[in-house]
């Protein structure tokens, strides 16, 4: 038991007879299905493509999938260290020692990508992804080269689940002072909560 998760329900003398290539494909398929929403990695797909020659019954395949999936989800939720994941995998009675090591190695390799994906999935609304600005000083070259009032041209790029959007606007000195005062107030509120 780790953090409320129980790994390795007893499976009567079952040993997972998969070579390292197929076992890795199983784990990677579960990662892609559970964290990257790649829907082609169904139980049926994995059963046919990974377990085809394993000699396991449909019920045993389902049990293996559930146990491996539970460990992956628990590792993601609890942000487990790869060593802890390997130790938990060793408790899955159907895995060999080499498969448990491979489980830890896969978690070591995929952990950061999974957490980035989980973070992206948890975001609500648009996020600022780029901020660009320049100062524009208009000149009147036709009437003697006088200089107009400078203004800022601001471009914000936001990103959400539907894609990217650019917002561009022009602001004079008064509008910029108001915007900076508002941003300063927001910054103070955030600092108070930290």
């Amino acid at each position: 038991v780790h953090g409320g998760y129980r790994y390795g329900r007893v499976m009567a003398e079952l040993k997972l007879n998969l070579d390292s290539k197929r076992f890795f494909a199983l784990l990677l398929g579960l990662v892609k299905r559970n964290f990257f929403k790649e829907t082609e990695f169904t139980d049926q797909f994995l059963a046919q493509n990974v377990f085809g020659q394993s000699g396991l019954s449909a019920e045993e395949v389902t049990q293996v999938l559930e146990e491996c999936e539970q460990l992956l989800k628990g590792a993601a939720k609890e942000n487990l260290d790869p060593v802890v994941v390997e130790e938990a995998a060793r408790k899955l009675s159907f895995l060999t020692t080499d498969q448990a090591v491979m489980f830890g190695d896969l978690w070591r390799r995929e952990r950061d990508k999974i957490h980035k994906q989980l973070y992206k999935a948890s975001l609500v609304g648009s996020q600022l992804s780029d901020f660009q600005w320049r100062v524009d000083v208009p000149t009147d070259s036709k009437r003697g080269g006088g200089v107009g009032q400078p203004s800022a041209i601001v471009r914000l790029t936001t990103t959400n689940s539907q894609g990217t959007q650019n917002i561009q606007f022009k602001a004079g000195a008064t509008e910029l002072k108001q915007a900076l005062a508002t941003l300063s107030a927001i910054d103070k509120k955030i600092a108070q909560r930290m």
Side-chain angles (χ1 to χ4, degrees), residues 6-158:
R6 183 170 176 258
Y7 303 113
R9 289 179 283 190
V10 177
M11 293 177 67
E13 309 269 335
L14 174 66
K15 284 295 175 193
L16 191 55
N17 186 21
L18 293 177
D19 61 37
S20 60
K21 184 178 175 182
R22 288 187 186 278
F23 184 67
F24 186 77
L26 165 67
L27 295 179
L28 203 52
L30 290 173
V31 164
K32 288 180 178 190
R33 173 172 86 185
N34 285 283
F35 304 110
F36 297 96
K37 305 305 177 206
E38 294 186 25
T39 57
E40 67 269 19
F41 294 99
T42 63
D43 284 356
Q44 182 180 6
F45 176 87
L46 292 171
Q48 289 173 348
N49 293 286
V50 174
F51 294 99
Q53 304 297 322
S54 70
L56 297 179
S57 70
E59 184 178 279
E60 290 169 331
V61 168
T62 298
Q63 185 68 38
V64 168
L65 291 172
E66 287 175 0
E67 291 287 329
C68 290
E69 205 164 48
Q70 181 184 10
L71 178 52
L72 286 168
K73 287 178 178 179
K77 181 178 181 183
E78 296 180 33
N79 194 23
L80 295 181
D81 184 83
V83 172
V84 175
V85 172
E86 181 181 328
E87 289 170 7
R90 289 179 191 273
K91 294 176 184 171
L92 294 174
S93 61
F94 55 87
L95 292 184
T96 66
T97 301
D98 289 344
Q99 289 168 336
V101 169
M102 191 178 295
F103 213 123
D105 289 344
L106 173 105
W107 185 249
R108 184 174 290 108
R109 189 182 113 186
E110 298 295 321
R111 178 182 180 189
D112 288 341
K113 293 180 218 168
I114 289 168
H115 281 282
K116 285 178 185 172
Q117 182 65 23
L118 291 173
Y119 173 76
K120 276 177 44 179
S122 70
L123 295 176
V124 177
S126 297
Q127 304 297 314
L128 182 64
S129 58
D130 191 30
F131 180 93
Q132 297 177 1
W133 62 273
R134 74 173 196 269
V135 174
D136 191 22
V137 182
T139 59
D140 186 0
S141 58
K142 292 181 183 177
R143 296 185 205 161
V147 176
Q149 292 293 319
S151 59
I153 307 296
V154 178
R155 180 178 174 177
L156 306 173
T157 303
T158 61

Side-chain angles (χ1 to χ4, degrees), residues 149-172:
Q149 292 293 319
S151 59
I153 307 296
V154 178
R155 180 178 174 177
L156 306 173
T157 303
T158 61
T159 307
N160 63 27
S161 60
Q162 280 75 45
T164 300
Q165 180 180 4
N166 292 312
I167 304 162
Q168 187 167 322
F169 60 92
K170 185 176 186 177

